[in-house]
Every structure is written in C-alpha cells, then in structure tokens.
Amino acid sequence: MLFLLIGVLGAVLKYLEVGFIAQWSWWIVLIPFALAVAWWAYADASGYTKRRVIEKENLRKQNRIDRQRSALGMLNSRSSQKRRK
C-alpha cells in the first residue's frame, strides 16, 4: 500500500510539475507502481496475505468466545492466560 501511495503522490507531483520531481523521467515516477505489483504478486504467491486473514479471523473468534464466556461468568484466569501467550 505504501508503494501505491508513493506512486500516486509522485504521479500527481509530476503531472502538476511541482518541485524537483517535475524534472524526473516518467519511468522513475512510475517505479513505485511496479514495486507495488511485485509486492502483491509475492504476497499472494507466498501465502502472506492468506496467513494475515486467518490470524485476524482467529483473533476475532477468540475475542468472541471470551466475551461470551465472560457474559456467562465462565471466564477464569486460566483461559485468559492461555490467550495472552
């Protein structure tokens, strides 16, 4: 996402001819977009994005279970210690 933001900012500054970026070649300004594509390809191929989604889902699931146990008065110190690890 950072590469994409840098690319958009660079393209806007180049288009509006602001500062020293106006003197750069378009190829240099567009490099962050290529880096963003390369990162997304790597992240998808390596499973990085899928692992992040699964971790987020597991955390939401555990929080929901803890809230339900707490509402029922079943949350004890052992279950909260297990979650902290």
Side-chain angles (χ1 to χ4, degrees):
M1 189 68 163
L2 181 62
F3 288 133
L4 190 60
L5 293 174
I6 292 170
V8 169
L9 180 65
V12 168
L13 291 175
K14 172 71 174 171
Y15 181 76
L16 296 175
E17 297 180 356
V18 176
F20 61 91
I21 295 178
Q23 299 170 356
W24 290 357
S25 168
W26 273 104
W27 290 106
I28 294 172
V29 174
L30 298 177
I31 286 175
F33 292 112
L35 292 173
V37 169
W39 167 251
W40 286 330
Y42 167 75
D44 287 342
S46 68
Y48 175 78
T49 53
K50 187 66 173 177
R51 280 192 307 268
R52 295 283 302 220
V53 169
I54 290 172
E55 288 172 1
K56 188 182 285 188
E57 288 175 357
N58 288 341
L59 182 62
R60 284 184 44 209
K61 179 180 175 182
Q62 188 61 47
N63 288 339
R64 186 180 67 241
I65 290 170
D66 289 345
R67 276 194 321 268
Q68 290 173 350
R69 284 185 178 170
S70 177
L72 292 172
M74 296 174 54
L75 189 63
N76 60 20
S77 61
R78 277 183 53 200
S79 62
S80 64
Q81 287 176 353
K82 195 184 320 180
R83 189 183 78 216
R84 289 183 194 148
K85 289 183 181 178

